[in-house]
């Protein structure tokens, strides 16, 4: 049985955690329909094992509402539009809500135009970006999402640099498959997401070598070197080939920030936002879906047939770990560490919920 106060918290069910999240945001002034979307997407991140983008964000988002940086219920405006594209002004509403609407629009436009592109600015943090191309994959299309941080959240050192100059600038691509489990690439252009450091910080755990450098540019395993001052930096994806992750991050900064007008790293912006680019391709207008699935199934079977290297039991397709983790956590429950739970309870008290009911 889950104890909401005073004792170590065991695993939550999906429904319990969604209710907790929705209740807190509704109490914090978020319209109920938006609170439900946010609850679903945050908990979906926890289900997939991406705790860095799950309910650990509740205190952060409530703090942004309190400071006026998130405007719950703000209307999204279309500033430029054609049959295949749109530029959207999110008016500083909830990023998850804006991004879900933007991807829905991209899917609808791709149905008539084959390819669509949606760019968004004045949009708060949209969470785990893999959630949005999955919407396209579930509609039988290819979905692509990339975001920058509008010139803020400069956590990532450029290749050869010693301080943060870029955001983590993630990229996600999803394609449908015949078996219903999409192939999903969901990566940051840094070696790891900043939220992973936040999780380790809350748990009081070290991080692997190769993730961080301290403020002197030296390798470190202490998450405090990023979460506290003087601040170090995340390293770009790629290790000794980090120039590749750095180049990827730079291009995402341009496509997410310059194209939308949200701004790029170094712009001097101080208000956190995601500059978003979403692209959708309607597969059926290129090739028959059955033919596409045959190619994809053959490719996956081909790579999985590789003899495993020492220390590995099998070859996995991108997104397969998350799909298995989702099934496992739906069955066994979602673990929340003590410090994150303490922060969630504290946030609930701040918005007037003396006791969480679930």
């Amino acid at each position: 049985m889950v104890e909401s106060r005073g004792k170590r918290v065991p695993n939550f069910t999906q429904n319990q955690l969604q209710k907790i999240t929705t209740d807190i945001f509704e109490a914090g002034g978020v319209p109920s329909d938006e609170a439900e979307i946010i609850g679903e997407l945050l908990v979906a991140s926890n289900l997939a094992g991406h705790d860095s983008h799950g309910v650990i964000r509740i205190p952060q988002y409530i703090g942004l509402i309190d400071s006026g940086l998130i405007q719950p219920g703000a209307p999204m405006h279309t500033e430029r539009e054609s049959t295949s594209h749109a530029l959207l002004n999110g008016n500083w509403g909830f990023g998850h809500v804006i991004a879900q609407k933007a991807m829905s629009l991209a899917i609808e436009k791709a149905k008539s135009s084959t390819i669509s592109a949606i760019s968004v600015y004045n949009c708060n943090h949209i969470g785990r970006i893999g959630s949005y191309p999955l919407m396209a994959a579930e509609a039988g299309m290819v979905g692509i999402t990339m975001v920058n941080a509008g010139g803020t959240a400069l956590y990532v050192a450029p290749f050869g640099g010693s301080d943060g100059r870029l955001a983590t600038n993630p990229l996600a691509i999803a394609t449908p498959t015949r078996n219903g489990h999409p192939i999903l690439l969901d990566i940051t252009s840094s070696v790891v997401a900043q939220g992973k450091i936040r999780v380790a910080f809350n748990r009081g755990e070290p991080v692997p070598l190769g993730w961080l450098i301290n403020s002197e540019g030296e390798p470190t395993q202490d998450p405090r070197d990023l979460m506290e001052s003087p601040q170090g930096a995340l390293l770009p994806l790629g290790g000794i080939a980090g120039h590749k992750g750095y180049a990827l991050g730079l291009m995402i900064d341009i496509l997410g920030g310059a194209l939308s007008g949200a701004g790029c790293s170094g712009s001097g912006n101080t208000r956190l936002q995601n500059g978003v680019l979403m692209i959708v391709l309607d597969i059926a207008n290129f090739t028959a879906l059955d033919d596409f699935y045959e190619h994809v199934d053959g490719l996956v079977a081909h790579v999985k047939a590789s003899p495993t290297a020492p220390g590995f039991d099998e070859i996995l397709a991108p997104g397969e770990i998350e799909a298995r983790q989702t099934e496992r956590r739906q069955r066994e429950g979602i673990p929340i560490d003590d410090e994150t739970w303490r922060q969630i309870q504290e946030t609930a008290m701040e918005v007037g919920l003396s006791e969480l009911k679930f």
Side-chain angles (χ1 to χ4, degrees), residues 42-302:
L42 290 185
V43 175
S45 295
N46 286 109
L47 280 172
H50 290 282
D51 297 324
S52 58
H53 287 69
V55 297
I56 193 173
R57 299 281 181 167
I58 292 173
Q60 175 191 4
Y61 294 155
I62 290 294
L64 291 171
I65 293 171
D66 290 344
S67 63
L69 296 177
I70 291 180
Q71 300 289 326
M76 185 173 67
H77 290 153
T78 302
E79 296 198 343
R80 298 185 183 185
E81 187 174 23
S82 70
T83 56
S84 62
H85 97 289
L87 173 64
L88 305 178
N89 180 349
N91 286 313
W92 302 108
F94 247 106
H96 300 71
V97 176
I98 296 166
Q100 189 179 86
K101 290 179 179 178
M103 179 53 77
S104 295
L105 178 62
I107 292 168
E108 287 305 308
K109 286 183 176 293
K111 288 178 181 177
S112 60
S113 299
T114 303
I115 301 173
S116 66
I118 307 294
S119 191
V120 188
Y121 75 107
N122 288 352
C123 174
N124 282 290
H125 187 247
I126 69 172
R128 179 194 174 212
I129 69 167
S131 298
Y132 308 107
L134 282 175
M135 293 170 59
E138 290 165 2
M141 303 181 183
V142 175
I144 304 170
T145 300
M146 63 191 77
V147 306
N148 83 337
T152 66
L154 305 181
Y155 296 118
V156 185
F159 186 68
S162 62
D163 69 345
R165 295 282 164 161
L166 297 169
T168 56
N169 294 353
L171 167 70
I173 305 173
T175 68
T177 63
R178 197 189 307 273
N179 67 15
H181 293 293
I183 295 176
L184 173 66
L185 168 75
D186 185 358
I187 61 170
T188 55
S189 54
S190 54
V191 71
V192 70
Q194 184 267 352
K196 303 287 187 186
I197 310 301
R198 185 193 299 264
V199 170
F201 180 78
N202 278 3
R203 293 176 178 172
E205 298 173 352
V207 299
L209 274 174
W211 283 16
L212 291 176
I213 53 176
N214 63 22
S215 60
E216 301 298 319
E218 302 164 335
T220 179
Q221 292 183 271
D222 191 341
R224 293 177 297 180
D225 283 319
L226 188 72
M227 302 302 295
E228 297 177 352
S229 184
Q231 191 176 64
L234 289 163
L235 290 172
L237 180 68
I240 60 172
H243 58 284
K244 297 181 180 181
Y246 158 60
L248 177 64
L250 198 72
M251 292 306 299
I252 292 171
D253 217 317
I254 293 168
L255 293 175
L259 200 63
S260 67
C264 295
S265 298
S267 64
N269 291 346
T270 58
R271 185 169 183 171
L272 176 65
Q273 67 168 306
N274 280 159
V276 183
L277 177 63
M278 293 180 171
I279 300 169
V280 174
L281 296 86
D282 188 353
I283 297 165
N285 283 331
F286 288 93
T287 185
L289 270 175
D290 281 343
D291 291 343
F292 178 85
Y293 291 149
E294 185 175 350
H295 286 299
V296 173
D297 289 347
L299 172 62
V300 172
H302 171 69

